[in-house]
Amino acid sequence: MKVLKFGGTSVANAKNINLVKNIVANTEAEKMAVVVSALGGITDLLLNAAYLASQQSEGYKSVLLDIEERHLNTVKELININAQSKVLSKVKSELNTLETLVEGAYLIGEITPKLSDKIVSFGELLSSNIISEFFAQEGLDAQYVDSRKLIITDEHNEKATVNFTITNSNCQGHFDKTDAKITVMGGFIASSEKGNSTTLGRGGSDYTAAIVAAAVDAQVLEIYTDVSGMYTANPKLVKQAKAIPHISYEEAMELSHFGAKVLYPPTIQPVLSKGISIHIKNTFEPENAGTLITKNKNEKGKTVRGITHVGNMALLSLEGPGMVGIPGISKRFFEILSQHGISVVFITQASSEHSICVGISANDIEKAVEIVNEAFEVEIERGKIKPAIAETDLAIIALVGDNMKKHQGLSGKMFSTLGKNNVNIRAIAQGASERNISAVINESDVKKALNALHEEFFEENVKQLNLFVMGVGNVGAKFLEQVRQQRSYLKEKLKLNIRVIGISNSRTMFFDDGGISLDQWKEKLASGEKADKTEFFETIQKLNYRNSIFVDNTASGDVASTYASYLGNSISVVTCNKIACSSEFENYQHLKDLARAYNAPFLFETNVGAGLPIIDTLKHLIASGDRVLKIQAVLSGSLNFVFNNFNDQTTFHDIVKQAQEEGYTEPDPKIDLSGIDVMRKILILARESGNRLEIDDIANNSFLPEESLNTTNNEDFFASLVKYEERFQEMYAKAAAKDSKLKYVAQYENGEASVGLQEIPKGHDFYNLEGSDNIVLFYTERYPNQPMIIKGAGAGADVTASGIFADIIRIGNF
């Protein structure tokens, strides 16, 4: 014999009930019990009608009309016109009884648990009657039985306790005697020995099916729902979650207890002792394998089987010196909660006995604080125990797996993953069986925590990086194109899944929490909302994604001033913007400290040398114990381009204009030509070498006339270059006469730094530097005479974008 249970979504309407009929018709079994829930959403409507009536609101009448319409329409769609009269008559009769009961609640202005059970039982009574009639009409050998005649409970309402002696006898007697192949019955509902309607609690239809399966020693209990089994995590929150093919009873109980809503927690209890397997399947995709729940046959090497959570939780803490060494405190604490019907989900206690902390439903926290303070009133007045402390807006997340106890380091891996993503842990608990590790976190962090843990334990080390890109001009556009081209390669070869979630320019910004299509980002951005850097940051905070990275492709001081906010919220920062790292030393150091404190990498390789690994190389030298003695460098690709192309056959103005148009200079070329850009770069290198230096400490031997330096816009600046052309030609001629080339050189030595134009003779490492290339010479204790040289393209949108991309890959590999 088999027992099949179909939930509310499976029988929500006539279309779905047809799918249920097909599944039942194709199930091979000599006999079967088909347990059905109320039509989807009906139980909530019944409870709402009862509540409105108890408040003496006539709104209950419209709710009853909705209930009536749902059932009558379902009958009309399922039952042949010739047989409708009989079924409609039965349904209307039950609805009339329901209306009388709800009117009673309206008249007395209250709803008792006993009356509530009678009212909500109509959902299953109506659905099981309709479905059994439909099955019979479709040629199935089906009969209806009122579950209240089989499932007997005590007199408690809303979550009654089953009398298994009578119930088992009733079920065995019915299925032994019946000749029908299919017995259709309502889940959730039962009756007391006195004949009063009772219920088994929300989710009780699963429990009904398990009770029947255990009573008749069923071959299997099949539970049909709207998902294909129990998942490694909630698929609504973790898109990468996948169905678990096989799981043990104990693992299933842990997962369901901690929020896996596919299965009602008490369901497993009746079938566990008899070893009856439970098969979770999808009504809408019955061909899917689903999840089989049996005794522990966990495959070798499988540790964590699922990650789940319970939301809407609160922590209740009792602490004080008067608790230490005093027997009975815990007993009184838990006893008072139990007496008031408050269920404890989570327990942790300090080894010093100084405090007890429990997790309970947030709906009970106010009542819990009140009753605990009353129970310990004397100790609180004497200062031995502090008043109860409540914390709300919390959730419990849990790792579950039978074999977790055989693997060291799982707890560390769990908490390390949460810590890296700035998920604060309020409390921790682990059972002696080590089948479950639970932690209490802020409810706002649940999605991030679940995704981060799922990525760590289930996704074959594929790490998802979520990018938020500000600045999509020359460099930003090239960067997005590189990401688009390389996404598949990175996922396959480096196990990195890169998604761009938000983009912004100076006018608009656009977010897509599922990831922006990089084939259409320009169109999406054009249709976005007005750009606002504060709102951009707040949106990233609200989305609260794991492995979030803010990418700054601008040259804006305003944007650079926001880095601390990002880093302080564990959001990594990657930037080609030099302003932050060349600002006051305290700010530079503060950003570095934040990055360490909040485990949020702050990378700015492209601040010096675009895509060249200059800063990274310097970091490795310092980290390995080397010490920098001197740095000599040509650090401006734009200035190198200008002086490599300027001669007596050209004009300085035209070459600078060309450099600007080809993207070698900043939008304001004076930043490059004034030496400010190079000053920032040598300052950053000096700081990364371990020296405290400010921008004002750097000597700037500018070659530009004072008038050019004092201009306030590009038009005036270029006009000044035309005016002083003769001066520029004289500089060129003087160097050419010495068979030398003009190079803008930065130098740091003995705590002093300078930048300026120099005449470089033949044979010098700088002499043959072509195009827009950069070159850096590191003289260190290990390289005192022959310096370490880094040379290559140091300007241009492509190489700068590739440097940004490289920093993001570094974060992915952390």
Side-chain angles (χ1 to χ4, degrees):
M1 179 171 169
K2 292 183 178 181
V3 177
L4 282 64
K5 178 266 174 178
F6 295 90
T9 52
S10 299
V11 295
N13 51 50
K15 178 182 177 182
N16 293 0
I17 293 171
N18 261 296
L19 296 176
V20 169
K21 183 262 298 182
N22 292 336
I23 292 170
V24 172
N26 292 320
T27 297
E28 295 182 2
E30 289 185 10
K31 286 184 180 180
M32 71 181 81
V34 176
V35 179
V36 297
S37 297
L39 305 186
I42 289 297
T43 301
D44 287 334
L45 289 175
L46 288 165
L47 288 169
N48 188 34
Y51 171 77
L52 291 173
S54 71
Q55 300 299 304
Q56 295 188 314
S57 165
E58 293 199 358
Y60 80 88
K61 294 180 179 179
S62 63
V63 177
L64 288 179
L65 286 174
D66 289 342
I67 293 170
E68 179 180 11
E69 185 178 2
R70 282 280 304 279
H71 287 92
L72 295 182
N73 286 342
T74 301
V75 171
K76 291 172 183 176
E77 292 178 44
L78 287 175
I79 306 299
N80 292 334
I81 189 73
N82 296 330
Q84 276 184 17
S85 177
K86 171 190 170 186
V87 181
L88 287 173
S89 176
K90 171 67 174 174
V91 169
K92 287 179 179 178
S93 174
E94 295 286 2
L95 289 170
N96 288 337
T97 304
L98 169 64
E99 184 178 10
T100 301
L101 291 171
V102 178
E103 282 179 351
Y106 176 80
L107 291 172
I108 64 175
E110 66 174 336
I111 180 79
T112 64
K114 185 176 181 180
L115 181 55
S116 177
D117 269 3
K118 286 184 177 180
I119 291 172
V120 295
S121 68
F122 279 85
E124 276 71 15
L125 288 173
L126 288 166
S127 66
S128 54
N129 265 291
I130 294 170
I131 291 168
S132 65
E133 291 288 346
F134 173 62
F135 281 4
Q137 169 192 287
E138 295 297 302
L140 300 182
D141 183 12
Q143 69 170 11
Y144 166 76
V145 66
D146 188 339
S147 301
R148 295 174 297 183
K149 294 180 179 179
L150 302 184
I151 312 295
I152 306 303
T153 70
D154 60 15
E155 293 293 333
H156 285 90
N157 291 102
E158 297 182 336
K159 196 173 182 181
T161 299
V162 176
N163 184 323
F164 281 99
T165 302
I166 301 174
T167 296
N168 290 344
S169 176
N170 289 347
C171 290
Q172 291 162 6
H174 170 79
F175 287 101
D176 284 344
K177 294 175 184 177
T178 185
D179 293 326
K181 179 180 179 181
I182 302 164
T183 296
V184 180
M185 55 192 294
F188 175 62
I189 55 176
S191 68
S192 69
E193 292 183 55
K194 294 181 179 179
N196 295 314
S197 292
T198 58
T199 58
L200 304 178
R202 293 301 296 266
S205 291
D206 286 353
Y207 193 30
T208 300
I211 292 167
V212 174
V216 299
D217 292 316
Q219 174 188 347
V220 65
L221 166 58
E222 294 182 355
I223 295 179
Y224 284 84
T225 181
D226 57 357
V227 292
S228 298
M230 299 190 81
Y231 277 67
T232 49
N234 185 339
K236 293 179 180 178
L237 298 177
V238 181
K239 292 184 179 179
Q240 292 79 19
K242 49 194 174 185
I244 306 169
H246 189 193
I247 195 170
S248 74
Y249 293 122
E250 292 79 9
E251 288 170 330
M253 280 195 289
E254 293 281 1
L255 286 172
S256 60
H257 176 71
F258 281 97
K261 296 180 180 179
V262 175
L263 191 65
Y264 181 55
T267 299
I268 298 170
Q269 296 168 1
V271 296
L272 175 60
S273 60
K274 294 200 171 183
I276 298 169
S277 59
I278 303 174
H279 204 169
I280 311 294
K281 301 204 71 178
N282 190 338
T283 303
F284 308 99
E285 296 176 354
E287 68 281 359
N288 287 356
T291 297
L292 185 64
I293 304 171
T294 65
K295 290 182 179 179
N296 187 0
K297 294 181 181 178
N298 199 344
E299 300 95 335
K300 186 177 180 181
K302 295 288 185 179
T303 53
V304 178
R305 303 307 305 279
I307 305 166
T308 186
H309 82 285
V310 184
N312 192 38
M313 296 302 300
L315 282 181
L316 177 68
S317 300
L318 189 67
E319 60 181 60
M323 295 173 60
V324 179
I326 306 299
I329 295 290
S330 297
K331 175 181 179 295
R332 290 169 59 195
F333 181 67
F334 289 110
E335 194 170 59
I336 193 68
L337 294 175
S338 174
Q339 288 172 354
H340 288 81
I342 296 175
S343 178
V344 174
V345 179
F346 176 102
I347 305 170
T348 183
Q349 182 172 12
S351 58
S352 65
E353 302 180 51
H354 184 267
S355 66
I356 302 172
C357 178
V358 298
I360 63 175
S361 170
N363 299 332
D364 294 328
I365 191 64
E366 289 186 14
K367 179 180 178 183
V369 169
E370 181 183 347
I371 61 175
V372 168
N373 285 340
E374 286 179 3
F376 291 93
E377 183 177 7
V378 174
E379 289 88 345
I380 292 171
E381 286 180 356
R382 294 176 180 176
K384 293 184 176 182
I385 294 178
K386 297 178 183 178
I389 301 168
E391 297 177 67
T392 56
D393 299 321
L394 301 174
I396 298 174
I397 55 169
L399 295 187
V400 173
D402 280 338
N403 287 348
M404 285 167 52
K405 61 184 176 182
K406 299 177 183 178
H407 290 261
Q408 295 180 345
L410 284 178
S411 297
K413 196 173 181 181
M414 174 184 180
F415 300 134
S416 173
T417 299
L418 295 175
K420 286 177 183 178
N421 286 279
N422 198 31
V423 177
N424 185 40
I425 298 171
R426 287 293 304 112
I428 299 167
Q430 182 171 9
S433 69
E434 297 185 50
R435 188 178 288 117
N436 176 313
I437 305 172
S438 305
V440 178
I441 64 173
N442 291 329
E443 188 141 31
S444 59
D445 287 330
V446 164
K447 185 175 181 180
K448 178 164 67 172
L450 290 175
N451 278 277
L453 292 171
H454 195 273
E455 183 178 83
E456 185 68 35
F457 288 101
F458 291 104
E459 295 178 30
E460 299 179 355
N461 296 321
V462 174
K463 187 174 186 178
Q464 184 169 287
L465 304 180
N466 296 295
L467 309 188
F468 299 87
V469 182
M470 188 167 286
V472 288
N474 286 340
V475 173
K478 293 290 185 183
F479 167 69
L480 292 176
E481 177 58 20
Q482 290 175 11
V483 172
R484 187 192 69 80
Q485 290 177 352
Q486 290 298 107
R487 281 189 66 186
S488 298
Y489 173 87
L490 292 174
K491 192 167 186 178
E492 179 183 351
K493 301 295 183 182
L494 299 184
K495 302 301 181 184
L496 295 177
N497 179 25
I498 296 181
R499 303 190 309 169
V500 178
I501 305 298
I503 52 177
S504 177
N505 57 23
S506 59
R507 299 177 301 280
T508 57
M509 61 185 186
F510 177 78
F511 292 88
D512 185 333
D513 57 10
I516 298 170
S517 169
L518 296 184
D519 292 320
Q520 300 175 324
W521 69 264
K522 291 181 180 177
E523 293 84 350
K524 297 290 187 183
L525 182 58
S527 65
E529 58 188 299
K530 184 179 179 181
D532 184 306
K533 70 178 190 302
T534 300
E535 191 173 335
F536 194 84
F537 167 69
E538 289 174 351
T539 301
I540 299 174
Q541 269 193 309
K542 184 178 178 181
L543 288 171
N544 201 22
Y545 281 145
R546 70 201 187 282
N547 305 324
S548 290
I549 304 174
F550 174 63
V551 183
D552 178 16
N553 297 317
T554 75
S556 166
D558 287 342
V559 175
S561 69
T562 65
Y563 294 173
S565 297
Y566 287 100
L567 295 171
N569 283 275
S570 291
I571 299 167
S572 301
V573 174
V574 170
T575 180
C576 59
N577 186 341
K578 292 175 279 292
I579 293 175
C581 289
S582 59
S583 62
E584 293 78 6
F585 184 84
E586 283 75 13
N587 184 56
Y588 159 83
Q589 190 60 53
H590 179 56
L591 295 177
K592 303 273 278 190
D593 291 343
L594 285 173
R596 280 190 292 270
Y598 291 94
N599 200 34
F602 174 40
L603 301 184
F604 43 90
E605 182 65 69
T606 50
N607 277 196
V608 182
L612 295 175
I614 295 172
I615 293 176
D616 196 50
T617 301
L618 179 56
K619 285 180 178 178
H620 287 308
L621 287 172
I622 301 300
S624 66
D626 203 354
R627 189 170 70 88
V628 173
L629 304 175
K630 181 170 68 172
I631 302 172
Q632 285 184 318
V634 174
L635 295 173
S636 174
S638 54
L639 283 170
N640 202 40
F641 176 88
V642 167
F643 286 110
N644 275 336
N645 289 279
F646 174 58
N647 55 48
D648 55 5
Q649 303 301 310
T650 62
T651 69
F652 195 70
H653 166 277
D654 290 348
I655 295 301
V656 174
K657 193 70 175 174
Q658 180 185 350
Q660 183 197 40
E661 290 171 353
E662 294 186 18
Y664 290 116
T665 72
E666 300 285 354
D668 177 1
K670 189 174 70 172
I671 294 174
D672 297 282
L673 272 68
S674 67
I676 291 294
D677 187 61
V678 179
M679 289 171 70
R680 288 171 175 161
K681 292 176 180 178
I682 193 65
L683 174 65
I684 292 168
L685 291 182
R687 287 176 171 177
E688 290 295 299
S689 301
N691 300 282
R692 185 183 182 108
L693 215 67
E694 299 289 358
I695 194 79
D696 293 338
D697 297 329
I698 300 173
N700 183 358
N701 305 310
S702 178
F703 66 89
L704 284 178
E706 195 69 27
E707 183 178 335
S708 299
L709 290 171
N710 292 332
T711 57
T712 57
N713 57 66
N714 283 357
E715 183 179 356
D716 291 344
F717 177 72
F718 279 110
S720 74
L721 298 186
V722 173
K723 180 178 180 180
Y724 289 97
E725 177 63 26
E726 184 177 344
R727 176 171 172 172
F728 299 131
Q729 288 293 342
E730 287 175 0
M731 291 190 310
Y732 172 78
K734 184 180 177 183
K738 299 176 184 178
D739 204 13
S740 297
K741 290 185 178 180
L742 293 172
K743 302 292 180 185
Y744 200 85
V745 178
Q747 182 166 309
Y748 173 79
E749 186 176 13
N750 296 325
E752 296 183 353
S754 64
V755 299
L757 198 62
Q758 295 183 16
E759 297 170 354
I760 304 299
K762 279 187 176 181
H764 194 285
D765 289 310
F766 296 169
Y767 185 83
N768 291 316
L769 197 63
E770 300 296 335
S772 62
D773 285 0
N774 281 189
I775 186 171
V776 177
L777 280 56
F778 288 126
Y779 291 88
T780 72
E781 289 181 343
R782 293 176 188 158
Y783 302 90
N785 300 314
Q786 294 297 321
M788 176 180 284
I789 301 174
I790 302 172
K791 178 182 176 182
D798 276 321
V799 292
T800 303
S802 68
I804 292 167
F805 204 168
D807 273 346
I808 288 166
I809 292 171
R810 286 188 184 96
I811 292 176
N813 290 329
F814 277 0

